[in-house]
């Protein structure tokens, strides 16, 4: 089971775990599909920050990530 941290930049998460894109899009974090955004904003945007900006409950995001087979580090 791949481990991810909610405070890792999205750009790095996608590079390490491309399967995370589907979970992010399903949760409304669809900016990840725009390569220009991913390569600029994605270098400092994290899942935690993105969830807060999009008003997504962090517990729901963690649950969806775990359901997709990811282990979540939530420091």
């Amino acid at each position: 089971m791949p481990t991810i941290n909610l405070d890792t930049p999205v750009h790095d998460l996608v590079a390490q775990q491309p399967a995370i894109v589907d979970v992010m899009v399903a949760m409304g974090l669809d900016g990840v599909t725009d390569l220009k955004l991913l390569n600029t904003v994605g270098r400092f945007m994290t899942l935690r920050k993105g969830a807060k900006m999009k008003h997504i409950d962090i517990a729901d995001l963690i649950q969806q990530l775990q359901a997709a087979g990811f282990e979540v580090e939530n420091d």
Side-chain angles (χ1 to χ4, degrees):
M1 179 179 298
T3 301
I4 61 168
N5 186 302
L6 297 177
D7 297 312
T8 299
V10 171
H11 177 271
D12 297 347
L13 289 176
V14 171
Q16 296 165 6
Q17 302 295 335
I20 200 169
V21 171
D22 293 336
V23 179
M24 292 175 66
V25 170
M27 291 293 297
L29 300 169
D30 53 0
V32 72
T33 60
D34 182 333
L35 290 180
K36 288 181 183 176
L37 278 178
L38 183 62
N39 287 319
T40 55
V41 177
R43 293 187 184 276
F44 62 85
M45 181 61 65
T46 66
L47 286 176
R48 189 181 310 277
K49 290 178 187 175
K52 185 175 180 179
M53 285 180 60
K54 295 277 190 162
H55 306 286
I56 297 168
D57 183 67
I58 200 72
D60 290 341
L61 178 60
I62 291 170
Q63 182 180 20
Q64 291 298 317
L65 289 165
Q66 289 171 336
F70 293 98
E71 183 176 333
V72 180
E73 291 180 355
N74 185 15
D75 298 332

